[in-house]
Structures are given as structure tokens and as C-alpha cells.
Amino acid sequence: MFNSREILAGLAIKAKGDWTSEYRYLKSKVMCEDQYVYLGNKMKYITLIDEDFPECLKDVTKVPIVLFYKGNIRLLESGKRVSVVGTRDMTQYGKEVCNKLIDDFYNSDRRDDVVFISGMAKGIDGEVSRAVIRNKGKLISVLGSGIDRCYPDESKDIYDYCCSENGLIVSEYPFDEAPQKEHFPFRNRILVGLGKILLVIEGKEKSGTNISVKEALDQGKDILSVPCPITSRNNLTNKLIADGAIPCLSYIDISERLY
């Protein structure tokens, strides 16, 4: 006989990680075939009914039912987690900001147990992730593809690091499920939910970055926004500050909201 969490993992695989399908299966009490349960047991996962399921994710819209993972799941126990979002269309200024904030943070005396969270995408995600890796910090990546699929391909270094003791990869999608356009804004609720605060480094008003900001507002998170030049094409951060976000002028602004 399979236990409840094994059945949930099997249903997640049957649904290919699609939350709406998983919920429909549960609501309709659809039976889970043994083959899916067996497949589920080949992966590491955490379910909504597990005692160690992160409390912070119980407040998000459409609470994830199953999260597949690789790496160090204990990183979710840290109370000092920072979610970072930003544009794929990164400027040189944005690149410099990423590296200065992260390097200064790790050169300070307030770096222990802090975990950075991002999405492994091109641009700001990748730059922040590599700065954390360079400093041998702790990093969580939230995927919009299957847990076994590195996307994009050029983020293989980030993917591999997050499979180590200092990292963690989480995804609602099993095996090598292909990334879909709609997966990324949907996974942002998890990316934002895992962090105590949200740090925004460059973005456009109509973008996935702004979707993450709205999710953070819904969850009652503090939003830290890095000012940008008034001539920048990525002007979302200045607008956020004008609307009440906390200006992030140095690593100290991050530290003060974690400790």
C-alpha cells in the first residue's frame, strides 16, 4: 500500500506538474496508477502534508501540492532568505549592482545562514547566482522546467552548484518536463514565497519582474528596490520606490531586514 505523500507525488507526475490538473485529480478523488507512484519514488520530493513543508508557502496563491527537489533541502530551514528578481535584459549598470551587492554582503560580518533565491534565468537571475557561487554562498533556484532539466542550457554551472550541499533546486515539474512560457510567471509565486524579503534589481513595468512584485505585495513581503538611472529602459525600480518600496542602496539595507 502506498502512503498519502507517495500518492500525491504520483498524481503530480500524472499531471506533469500542472497545478490545475493536480487539484482537479484531488478534488475528484481520481485514482493514481501504480506506475506513477513508482516513478515518484525515484525522486526526492516534499508535499503539502509533510511536517517540514515550508510554512511560508502556505500563504501563496495556489499552494504547491508537491515540490520536487535536488540538493540540500535544509536550506529551507534558514530564516534569512532573500528572493531576487530582475530583467533578462540586463544593462552594464545592473550587472555591476548585482556583483557589488553580493560581494559586499559576503565581505561583511552578516553572511552566515543567508540564502539567496532566484530563477536561474539569463540576466539578473544568472548574474546574482554566479556572484553567490563565486562567494561560496547558499543558493536556491526555482525552475519553470522539470527538476532534471537545466534551463536555459547556459545555466548549467548554476544548476550543478544547486545540486550540491550549498544549493537547492525546487520545481513543481517532474523529470525533464519541457519549460513552457506560462510556467515562469506561475513559479514566481514560489520564488517570492520562499524569501523573507524581495530584492528587485532592474525591470520593466510590463514584465515577469513586476508579476513577482505584485505577488510579494499580496504576500505582505518587504520589497527592496535598487534605484536606476532615470534614462534607463529598465525603469520599474524607480517607480516601485516612488510607490513606497524600500530603496536598496547597499548590502546594509538587505542585512537590516534579515537580522
Side-chain angles (χ1 to χ4, degrees), residues 156-174:
K156 185 68 163 54
D157 57 329
I158 302 172
Y159 183 93
D160 289 344
Y161 186 85
C162 286
C163 290
S164 73
E165 187 65 18
N166 276 342
L168 176 68
I169 294 173
V170 296
S171 178
E172 291 182 278
Y173 306 100

Side-chain angles (χ1 to χ4, degrees), residues 25-217:
Y25 291 157
L26 288 171
K27 189 175 181 180
S28 304
K29 298 182 179 179
V30 171
M31 295 296 293
C32 184
E33 294 88 339
D34 289 357
Q35 60 177 314
Y36 295 116
V37 179
Y38 287 129
L39 286 171
N41 284 333
K42 293 187 176 187
M43 290 183 290
K44 294 179 180 178
Y45 59 86
I46 187 169
T47 77
L48 178 59
I49 63 174
D50 292 337
E51 288 185 5
D52 53 352
F53 186 85
E55 285 293 323
C56 57
L57 291 184
K58 294 180 181 179
D59 295 328
V60 307
T61 305
K62 297 184 177 178
V63 179
I65 299 167
V66 177
L67 286 176
F68 301 101
Y69 72 89
K70 289 186 176 184
N72 185 2
I73 194 67
R74 295 187 65 182
L75 294 189
L76 295 180
E77 297 173 8
S78 170
K80 304 181 184 76
R81 299 193 299 265
V82 185
S83 299
V84 186
V85 295
T87 182
R88 288 175 170 81
D89 185 23
M90 179 178 62
T91 65
Q92 181 62 31
Y93 168 77
K95 180 175 183 176
E96 291 171 2
V97 165
C98 290
N99 286 282
K100 179 170 178 55
L101 284 176
I102 300 300
D103 287 346
D104 286 354
F105 190 92
Y106 281 106
N107 286 327
S108 74
D109 58 357
R110 291 190 167 184
R111 59 185 180 181
D112 292 342
D113 299 324
V114 173
V115 180
F116 286 91
I117 306 162
S118 202
M120 217 167 76
K122 298 177 182 177
I124 296 297
D125 280 13
E127 198 66 32
V128 165
S129 297
R130 291 184 176 94
V132 173
I133 292 170
R134 184 174 64 250
N135 284 282
K136 299 180 181 177
K138 297 178 175 66
L139 179 66
I140 297 175
S141 290
V142 184
L143 305 186
S145 57
I147 193 69
D148 292 333
R149 176 177 288 217
C150 173
Y151 181 85
D153 292 341
E154 52 264 45
S155 293
K156 185 68 163 54
D157 57 329
I158 302 172
Y159 183 93
D160 289 344
Y161 186 85
C162 286
C163 290
S164 73
E165 187 65 18
N166 276 342
L168 176 68
I169 294 173
V170 296
S171 178
E172 291 182 278
Y173 306 100
F175 298 112
D176 62 347
E177 285 296 321
Q180 304 293 335
K181 185 177 180 180
E182 62 272 16
H183 288 178
F184 296 96
F186 191 63
R187 67 89 196 262
N188 285 355
R189 78 198 196 286
I190 299 173
L191 195 159
V192 172
L194 288 176
K196 181 178 179 181
I197 60 176
L198 177 68
L199 174 62
V200 187
I201 307 176
E202 288 201 316
K204 296 180 174 65
E205 288 192 43
K206 294 182 178 180
S207 64
T209 301
N210 205 18
I211 291 172
S212 297
V213 169
K214 291 175 181 176
E215 184 67 41
L217 289 172

